[in-house]
Amino acid sequence: MIECVRKLAQAAKGDIKTLFEDDPARAEGFSVSCDGMLFDYSKTPIPPEGRRALLDWAEACGVASRRDAMFAGQAINETEGRAVLHTALRNLDGAPVLVEGRDVMPEIMGVLARMERFAADVRRGAFQGQGGAITDVVNIGIGGSHLGPEMATRALSPYHDGPRCHFVSNVDGADIADCLAGLDPETTLVIVASKSFATIETMTNAETARNWMAGAVKAPGAQFVALSTADDKVADFGIAPERVFGFADWVGGRYSMWGPIGLSIMIAIGPERFREMLKGAQAMDSHFRKAPLAENMPVLLALVGLWHHQGCGYPTRAVLPYDQRLGRLPAYFQQLEMESNGKRVNMAGEPLTVPSGPVVWGEPGTNGQHAFYQLIHQGTQVVPCEFMVAARGHEPDQAHHHVLLVANCLAQSEALMRGRSIEDARALMAEQGFTGKELERQAAHRVFPGNRPSTTLVYDKLTPHRLGQIVALYEHRVFVEGVMLGINSFDQWGVELGKVLAKEIEPVLESGDTTGKDGSTAQLVGFIRANRG
Ligand code: F6P
């Protein structure tokens, strides 16, 4: 199947523009709508027969049955022997979800209700710090226990009406030092977000925060909250059970912002808005479960990605939100995609015979335009671009800004596809008075090859509901890609080795004994020890 797609993709590297000429209804035919969002993938080189082949491949891989197995709580994370049920966290109508025969929904709804009571208490000042109402919340976590809350809190800043939220993730002491510098320990709430409650970065930062608080308040633990699956470790740290919000191990770290890990989002925007975000994700879940593959937005988004990555061999993809508040979305998608599908073996443990997931990167437009779009337009590597933009912004008095933003977004996808021919470049240079060899030389620099693929996701406005929908859309996209490549998208063994070696090197930095270390590591240790004062 993949070979067939690859052959079609290589054969179809022709002009995207001609696909529009061949089919005047291409834009409509190569777009899909879902609950107020439109995903347009017509500016890609995928011909109708290519899409058919992609859909056949999806069917042959059993995407639909694998999806149903995920929602049904089967242990599809086979290397960890776990179900994959982040979707249960947003199953707001509470319909039963069985894991090993037990309905997990009562517990999920119970924890959600506790979170809502706590968030409401913090927001209205019923839960107080030792110096009065909470003014600031510091979420300490890393990876999935950081990126989601940070991304969503920033994305939804127009809805903030709670205490200020801050995020600390890096073990670099600069991160927590800069964060705590302006805060009052008497009115700060610290959330320690860690599924394992064992991640060295998070636990080191949590201890630093506790020491900082202990210098100012009598009972520092009283202003700490834990979000974790590891009750015993949380108890050892000294956080009282009433401020512990737990979840099950079948919620993967990078899929966890819908439950307790999202507490900082809930405190920032309020429980009702948090529920709206969950409802948006739930709407996408329902679409993913019910829509036929050919009209299924996450499936089509995955197929477009596979066409470019597997079919055309483009190694990266850029996520380009034309929305300043989605500034952390590319980083969030980076973890989602690269930690999920950056694997070397298939589910059976056999080496992959195809490239694993692509490199994902990006920045909000229009900033990226003035930085790396040069390469996207004229570099020798093709980078498929995924644009996203809202029809309207949150700032009614800045409508003109928004028109410019949207115009730039649409212009980029048009420019990527259309390009500029050598003839047009020559004409441009001639207008400027160039002639002969110099005209040719100058014109060559102004040619845009065009025919560069992009997709565009448009929606009305970045509300909590829309954000939930967008994130769930990408979650399911990553899932579909993983199924079609035969990858387990829900483990992350590749992060282990570096953690183990960091533990080994820590004492080496103290002792200077580099026995057994390679020459480079020994040299670096020597330099650092000699220069750290
Ligand atoms: O190191 C990778 C990772 O395990 C991620 O998958 C996870 O999101 C992150 O670390 C944080 O883990 P925890 O929530 O257990 O602290």
Side-chain angles (χ1 to χ4, degrees):
M1 284 286 171
I2 195 165
E3 275 315 314
C4 168
V5 166
R6 198 164 280 156
K7 271 190 201 136
L8 284 169
Q10 294 302 326
K13 271 192 171 167
D15 202 355
I16 303 171
K17 281 178 294 183
T18 58
L19 292 171
F20 282 93
E21 284 155 21
D22 294 349
D23 175 10
R26 178 170 172 87
E28 209 184 329
F30 279 70
S31 294
V32 60
S33 305
C34 163
D35 185 26
M37 292 202 306
L38 174 73
F39 172 59
D40 180 336
Y41 60 102
S42 60
K43 290 196 193 87
T44 63
I46 306 176
E49 64 278 16
R51 180 170 59 184
R52 189 63 260 157
L54 287 163
L55 286 164
D56 289 347
W57 179 18
E59 265 160 34
C61 290
V63 165
S65 59
R66 201 75 186 160
R67 170 198 66 197
D68 295 345
M70 174 173 74
F71 279 95
Q74 291 179 27
I76 63 160
N77 175 356
E78 294 177 17
T79 57
E80 296 181 317
R82 289 175 188 164
V84 173
L85 274 178
H86 48 281
T87 51
L89 299 174
R90 54 221 194 193
N91 176 26
L92 284 181
D93 48 18
V97 175
L98 303 183
V99 177
E100 291 167 358
R102 193 176 65 87
D103 182 11
V104 296
M105 285 317 299
E107 199 170 334
I108 288 179
M109 298 313 269
V111 175
L112 178 62
R114 280 185 56 229
M115 284 170 66
E116 291 181 331
R117 278 196 298 276
F118 181 73
D121 283 352
V122 171
R123 286 162 56 83
R124 66 190 165 90
F127 176 91
Q128 297 230 330
Q130 284 148 76
I134 297 295
T135 54
D136 295 272
V137 175
V138 177
N139 184 86
I140 297 179
I142 196 164
S145 301
H146 161 77
L147 286 163
E150 187 198 34
M151 176 278 293
T153 305
R154 177 159 163 191
L156 300 176
S157 62
Y159 300 92
H160 284 202
D161 51 6
R164 291 177 291 264
C165 285
H166 314 265
F167 297 89
V168 172
S169 56
N170 201 321
V171 76
D172 182 344
D175 198 5
I176 193 152
D178 287 353
C179 172
L180 299 183
L183 305 187
D184 178 355
E186 295 196 335
T187 58
T188 296
L189 178 73
V190 176
I191 298 177
V192 185
S194 176
K195 181 175 168 181
S196 60
F197 230 70
T199 304
I200 191 84
E201 292 90 339
T202 300
M203 299 324 297
T204 305
N205 280 322
E207 270 163 33
T208 301
R210 191 169 52 184
N211 293 340
W212 168 75
M213 203 168 272
V217 304
K218 278 200 194 111
Q223 281 171 232
F224 270 66
V225 171
L227 317 174
S228 184
T229 56
D231 294 345
D232 46 343
K233 295 199 180 85
V234 171
D236 290 349
F237 189 85
I239 300 179
E242 66 269 21
R243 286 189 312 286
V244 179
F245 300 91
F247 53 103
D249 65 1
W250 35 254
V251 178
R254 53 193 174 276
Y255 299 87
S256 63
M257 67 176 227
W258 316 103
I261 293 293
L263 183 65
S264 52
I265 313 170
M266 190 190 270
I267 293 176
I269 64 174
E272 296 80 16
R273 297 247 158 82
F274 188 84
R275 270 188 185 247
E276 286 169 23
M277 185 180 83
L278 297 186
K279 277 191 189 145
Q282 192 185 18
M284 185 53 72
D285 293 343
S286 156
H287 167 83
F288 181 48
R289 294 179 83 167
K290 291 186 197 143
L293 297 189
E295 292 154 34
N296 195 306
M297 198 181 277
V299 172
L300 291 166
L301 183 58
L303 296 185
V304 172
L306 289 166
W307 180 269
H308 291 142
H309 186 54
Q310 300 292 330
C312 304
Y314 303 143
T316 83
R317 76 166 64 117
V319 179
L320 304 166
Y322 275 65
D323 191 322
Q324 187 62 15
R325 295 189 177 109
L326 288 179
R328 294 297 286 158
L329 194 68
Y332 179 82
F333 285 165
Q334 230 164 29
Q335 186 196 17
L336 185 62
E337 176 94 40
M338 293 168 74
E339 197 165 77
S340 299
N341 288 343
K343 306 287 165 64
R344 59 178 291 280
V345 295
N346 64 18
M347 192 66 98
E350 298 150 350
L352 286 181
T353 53
V354 296
S356 60
V359 174
V360 176
W361 58 287
E363 271 290 315
T366 61
N367 297 11
Q369 289 174 208
H370 297 272
F372 53 78
Y373 277 40
Q374 164 63 42
L375 181 149
I376 289 181
H377 283 288
Q378 287 190 315
T380 53
Q381 296 187 49
V382 175
V383 180
C385 294
E386 299 186 351
F387 295 102
M388 53 182 78
V389 70
R392 61 180 197 279
H394 280 277
E395 285 67 35
D397 51 337
Q398 288 169 9
H400 181 56
H401 283 254
H402 201 76
V403 171
L404 281 176
L405 182 75
V406 174
N408 271 278
C409 180
L410 301 187
Q412 290 301 324
S413 69
E414 192 183 345
L416 283 168
M417 177 176 75
R418 202 206 278 183
R420 182 193 283 147
S421 67
I422 182 69
E423 292 75 23
D424 287 350
R426 281 188 190 121
L428 205 67
M429 291 299 94
E431 266 173 36
Q432 292 180 27
F434 288 96
T435 56
K437 273 194 178 161
E438 188 55 13
L439 180 144
E440 285 302 320
R441 192 170 76 89
Q442 292 291 346
H445 289 273
R446 286 155 176 86
V447 170
F448 287 64
N451 202 31
R452 302 221 153 169
S454 69
T455 60
T456 306
L457 180 70
V458 277
Y459 42 92
D460 48 0
K461 189 175 174 179
L462 188 62
T463 59
H465 184 95
R466 288 282 168 256
L467 182 71
Q469 247 182 323
I470 292 170
V471 175
L473 165 66
Y474 273 75
E475 283 179 350
H476 295 321
R477 177 256 192 114
V478 167
F479 168 79
V480 172
E481 287 175 336
V483 172
M484 291 177 68
L485 296 176
I487 285 173
N488 179 6
S489 302
F490 299 103
D491 61 12
Q492 54 284 317
W493 300 109
V495 300
E496 296 299 318
L497 183 58
K499 290 185 191 175
V500 171
L501 292 185
K503 276 205 183 120
E504 271 180 40
I505 293 183
E506 199 187 331
V508 173
L509 282 168
E510 292 311 318
S511 68
D513 178 3
T514 55
T515 313
K517 290 286 163 205
D518 61 86
S520 166
T521 306
Q523 170 177 263
L524 297 170
V525 167
F527 182 91
I528 289 162
R529 280 175 52 82
N531 285 280
R532 66 183 175 185

